[in-house]
Amino acid sequence: MNIKDLYLQRDKVFRYIDKQKKFRISYIQCSSVVKSAAERHNLDEIGTFFLGKVLMASSLIASMLKGEERVTIDVKSNGIFSQLYAEANKVGEVRGFVVGNKNFDVSVSSMKDFLGTGTISVSKMLYGKFEPMIGITELKNTTIEQEIVHYLQTSEQIDSALVSDIHFDSSKEDCPLVSANGLLIEMLPNSDQTEKFILETQLLTLKPLHSYSINSKNPLEDLSILLEMELEHIEDIPIDFYCRCSLDKFKSQLLTLGKEQIVEMKDSQQNELICHYCNEHYYLSNDDFSTLLEYFTVQNN
Ligand SMILES: [Zn+2]
């Protein structure tokens, strides 16, 4: 396969604006990203469904940022997951994880109850700002998409609409995930309340996105028909499940714990380090321990 074909097959966010400059549209296809997340974290279908949705939402929001600006979505709740976390940047890197809630009773719950009650916090690390911009809203016991739209409206005064779809085929035992797609529409100041209402109603009545035939390599035409608006292409952003962790980064962090802690780890053979964002396992060798401890000897001289 040549490089062009490989590029066409990659997961991407496709960005458009309507010709009247009233709406900005980001459409995501990211089944490889969601599959990779599910494999890394050994997730079942429910875990894949929820993590996939926040991974898609964070990538869609990040697609509207600049350069290496980042967004994180952090849901803390008493539902099936005590934490649901995703982080994405404009250059197409996205990572995330879920923390299960052992006390949750799956047998009495509907899909909406799975999310439970709690908070959703969204933070953005933007150029020119020393501190991240953070907003927190209470969960409203709706869908993850509606929770994010509600956050954008109340905390950032951005009117938007978000739909996403994770499609499984349970007959495929080894890999039931078939597709993961999402659509974020941001309403620009040019659009009026009636147009916003019509668009929201139109999105609410859509069937799941996998029911539509949307060209995976160039979705412009199909999306124009689906949304009943003329779209102009802005850019395509290839995306990957990607974590910037490394053994060296872990070792730098360990130094901040102090010498005694490192000696204790060495003596008790605690040499495994796990990145909770991507579930990568790293192992410290005896040489690594020696190098870490030498640092403190040098510091004392
Ligand atoms: Zn990692």
Side-chain angles (χ1 to χ4, degrees):
M1 195 180 288
N2 63 37
I3 291 173
K4 193 181 168 204
D5 287 339
L6 277 173
Y7 178 82
L8 287 173
Q9 285 188 6
R10 283 183 68 184
D11 284 354
K12 283 188 205 82
V13 175
F14 301 87
R15 294 191 58 225
Y16 307 99
I17 188 162
D18 83 296
K19 283 204 170 150
Q20 298 181 49
K21 311 281 185 278
K22 293 182 175 183
F23 304 103
R24 273 201 300 187
I25 289 114
S26 288
Y27 173 69
I28 188 169
Q29 288 179 164
C30 75
S31 46
S32 299
V33 165
V34 179
K35 264 181 207 165
S36 173
E39 281 165 15
R40 282 182 168 275
H41 294 292
N42 302 313
L43 300 178
D44 60 10
E45 283 189 18
I46 295 173
T48 307
F49 178 86
F50 279 100
L51 181 59
K53 292 218 159 191
V54 288
L55 290 171
M56 283 201 277
S58 61
S59 293
L60 286 166
I61 296 172
S63 76
M64 297 187 180
L65 303 178
K66 294 192 286 271
E68 289 221 6
E69 291 182 340
R70 281 185 293 138
V71 61
T72 67
I73 298 176
D74 194 3
V75 180
K76 295 207 169 89
S77 85
N78 64 357
I80 191 165
F81 304 111
S82 52
Q83 190 178 11
L84 194 54
Y85 179 96
E87 182 181 325
N89 61 21
K90 172 70 195 266
V91 295
E93 297 169 355
V94 57
R95 63 181 183 172
F97 63 90
V98 291
V99 180
N101 179 1
K102 290 188 186 80
N103 301 319
F104 186 75
D105 182 2
V106 180
S107 63
V108 295
S109 301
S110 71
M111 207 56 163
K112 278 186 180 174
D113 295 328
F114 283 168
L115 205 50
T117 55
T119 56
I120 178 165
S121 92
V122 179
S123 57
K124 288 180 177 171
M125 275 58 75
L126 304 176
Y127 285 146
K129 301 250 172 23
F130 290 109
E131 300 280 328
M133 202 177 92
I134 303 173
I136 301 178
T137 51
E138 298 277 325
L139 293 176
K140 299 276 173 210
N141 194 25
T142 59
T143 63
I144 194 83
E145 292 88 342
Q146 286 168 310
E147 301 290 355
I148 290 166
V149 165
H150 176 253
Y151 160 80
L152 289 170
Q153 269 158 355
T154 52
S155 286
E156 297 194 26
Q157 287 77 51
I158 298 173
D159 279 326
S160 58
L162 172 66
V163 286
S164 63
D165 177 38
I166 299 206
H167 180 47
F168 297 99
D169 179 352
S170 301
S171 65
K172 292 183 176 177
E173 263 178 42
D174 54 334
C175 188
L177 179 79
V178 181
S179 62
N181 303 70
L183 190 58
L184 175 67
I185 302 182
E186 193 183 306
M187 292 150 195
L188 300 173
N190 275 345
S191 59
D192 62 38
Q193 289 302 321
T194 314
E195 286 165 326
K196 286 174 193 171
F197 178 75
I198 292 170
L199 187 68
E200 276 165 359
T201 313
Q202 203 178 342
L203 287 183
L204 282 174
T205 53
L206 282 185
K207 290 183 279 183
L209 287 172
H210 75 267
S211 327
Y212 299 95
S213 158
I214 300 175
N215 185 324
S216 61
K217 294 177 179 123
N218 183 7
L220 186 140
E221 208 178 308
D222 295 326
L223 287 176
S224 300
I225 296 167
L226 187 70
L227 299 171
E228 295 172 22
M229 55 175 86
E230 270 194 276
L231 300 179
E232 284 174 5
H233 176 253
I234 302 175
E235 62 179 336
D236 297 347
I237 307 164
I239 50 169
D240 296 291
F241 188 99
Y242 186 82
C243 184
R244 295 191 183 189
C245 65
S246 68
L247 181 59
D248 282 342
K249 281 191 183 166
F250 270 110
K251 288 201 289 197
S252 307
Q253 283 168 13
L254 282 177
L255 290 175
T256 64
L257 296 177
K259 187 180 175 184
E260 276 176 29
Q261 193 89 18
I262 297 171
V263 170
E264 201 180 304
M265 280 176 71
K266 187 178 183 222
D267 291 346
S268 59
Q269 306 272 307
Q270 276 182 53
N271 69 334
E272 188 183 48
L273 303 161
I274 303 169
C275 174
H276 63 277
Y277 295 103
C278 69
N279 207 25
E280 187 72 37
H281 289 47
Y282 296 98
Y283 297 93
L284 292 168
S285 65
N286 282 335
D287 284 349
D288 291 324
F289 276 116
S290 305
T291 318
L292 286 168
L293 292 169
E294 265 168 32
Y295 170 84
F296 293 101
T297 316
V298 173
Q299 289 278 300
N300 287 337
N301 287 339

